[in-house]
Amino acid sequence: MKKIRKDKNSLYIFKKSGGTVAEYVIVEDELNIFFGKNMKYRIKDPSIRHEDFKVVKAIEENGCLYIYCYGTNADNLFFVASPEKQSKFQIGEGVQDYLVENGNIYIAFSEEGIFSGEGNTKFSESIFVQIDTRRETILPLLPTDIQSTIIDVSGICFDGESTIRLFYYGEIVEESDYSYEDFYLDYNIRTKQITKNRQLDSNILCVGFANGSYYVLENSSSKVKRGIVLVTNQHMEVKSKIFIYSNTWKKITRVNHGYEEFILESKDCYTILNLNEVKK
């Protein structure tokens, strides 16, 4: 695993070909993104000057930066920036994770967005939405019958071709004892077809895809204090395990992912797990 120094204003920017570390600087109502000494993106918006504004995650695709931020008044914000233009989308609460494919942002929400009752929850109540950045529209993607079975989302992953896999906690099986069945959805971004499948029993932190396999990063028991990556086939059947032992795992304060990378953040370091390089 590769380690990169992390500073207070460091920002890991995900790319399909492997990410990079940038630096961000906030000056009044401007967010400036630097690659080395060169400023590549400048985002200007009144929300940036507020005390609760926070940069969370960024993805770069085809010369555009898709950056997710905590905004003001309980709204999450997405900015899309290129050297020529800037767009802003207010998306409500409870963003769990997102991916970018062909200029579209696909967002999965946690249940906090549904039940908070504050701010702009119009889209977060839809669990899974697409922002068409060219038309500047936001479109819910799941029909009501599937939407109603989802309790909470635990992960989102793209297979690199056409399918977004959405992992979620499912419907109540026996209302009396609140037992649940967990499922994953495959959403084809070209045909819009949705298929529903039984999910493996796992405490999922995030999911990636590489070399024809899915990689599921999960929490292990508190006694062992290590991270485990489950390597599965297309049907989420576990074929092998990769262990992240305590000398690395115990320092982790945040886990993030994008495409073929897991980023394990500590106070002063990014530990990068490139899924193409791990041995199954």
Side-chain angles (χ1 to χ4, degrees):
M1 291 185 288
K2 182 180 179 181
K3 296 182 182 293
I4 298 179
R5 176 186 173 90
K6 174 187 171 187
D7 296 320
K8 181 177 66 174
N9 291 334
S10 294
L11 176 64
Y12 194 87
I13 297 181
F14 291 96
K15 304 178 184 180
K16 290 180 182 176
S17 58
T20 186
V21 176
E23 300 292 326
Y24 70 91
V25 176
I26 295 176
V27 181
E28 295 184 345
D29 61 353
E30 282 193 5
L31 174 64
N32 299 322
I33 310 292
F34 288 84
F35 289 72
K37 295 183 179 180
N38 299 318
M39 184 173 66
K40 187 171 182 180
Y41 299 104
R42 173 182 288 155
I43 299 170
K44 186 177 177 66
D45 190 83
S47 64
I48 294 173
R49 67 171 61 242
H50 288 269
E51 291 183 1
D52 63 349
F53 181 85
K54 181 181 179 181
V55 178
V56 181
K57 183 176 179 177
I59 296 174
E60 189 177 42
E61 182 191 63
N62 296 331
C64 286
L65 188 69
Y66 301 80
I67 186 165
Y68 162 46
C69 307
Y70 289 144
T72 58
N73 300 322
D75 258 340
N76 293 300
L77 305 173
F78 279 86
F79 292 103
V80 181
S82 69
E84 293 79 29
K85 64 175 293 188
Q86 170 191 319
S87 300
K88 171 185 172 182
F89 302 91
Q90 293 180 281
I91 199 65
E93 295 183 332
V95 172
Q96 178 76 12
D97 207 346
Y98 74 105
L99 294 170
V100 177
E101 173 62 20
N102 193 28
N104 295 311
I105 307 172
Y106 294 91
I107 306 169
F109 290 90
S110 67
E111 65 180 359
E112 285 80 3
I114 297 176
F115 299 116
S116 65
E118 299 175 0
N120 175 14
T121 61
K122 177 180 178 182
F123 298 108
S124 56
E125 290 177 353
S126 299
I127 293 290
F128 183 44
V129 304
Q130 172 194 332
I131 299 179
D132 185 329
T133 60
R134 298 179 181 87
R135 297 182 176 87
E136 298 194 347
T137 58
I138 304 175
L139 177 68
L141 298 177
L142 300 183
T144 303
D145 60 333
I146 292 180
Q147 174 83 22
S148 62
T149 67
I150 296 178
I151 306 301
D152 204 357
V153 174
S154 58
I156 181 173
C157 177
F158 181 57
D159 71 354
E161 295 183 3
S162 61
T163 302
I164 291 177
R165 183 161 286 184
L166 184 70
F167 298 81
Y168 69 93
Y169 303 114
E171 58 203 334
I172 295 176
V173 180
E174 298 178 16
E175 188 113 20
S176 58
D177 62 2
Y178 294 98
S179 60
Y180 298 89
E181 285 188 328
D182 297 341
F183 295 87
Y184 64 87
L185 293 179
D186 281 344
Y187 177 82
N188 190 303
I189 61 177
R190 296 185 175 87
T191 66
K192 316 303 181 187
Q193 182 179 2
I194 300 170
T195 57
K196 182 178 178 181
N197 302 277
R198 184 68 185 269
Q199 182 173 309
L200 78 167
D201 183 16
S202 176
N203 182 11
I204 294 174
L205 290 175
C206 53
V207 186
F209 182 88
N211 296 320
S213 297
Y214 286 91
Y215 294 77
V216 179
L217 179 61
E218 68 167 11
N219 271 326
S220 59
S221 69
S222 58
K223 294 181 180 179
V224 179
K225 296 186 182 301
R226 66 182 179 185
I228 299 177
V229 179
L230 305 177
V231 185
T232 81
N233 60 16
Q234 292 279 348
H235 305 293
M236 304 309 299
E237 298 168 332
V238 178
K239 299 303 181 183
S240 61
K241 297 180 180 180
I242 302 165
F243 296 101
I244 303 170
Y245 288 97
S246 59
N247 59 343
T248 295
W249 190 252
K250 67 183 179 181
K251 298 177 183 178
I252 301 306
T253 58
R254 182 171 179 252
V255 174
N256 210 336
H257 97 291
Y259 307 102
E260 299 176 349
E261 292 179 316
F262 292 151
I263 305 299
L264 313 177
E265 296 185 33
S266 61
K267 183 178 179 182
D268 56 4
C269 179
Y270 292 109
T271 299
I272 302 169
L273 179 59
N274 188 314
L275 303 180
N276 281 305
E277 297 174 359
V278 301
K279 295 181 180 179
K280 299 183 183 180

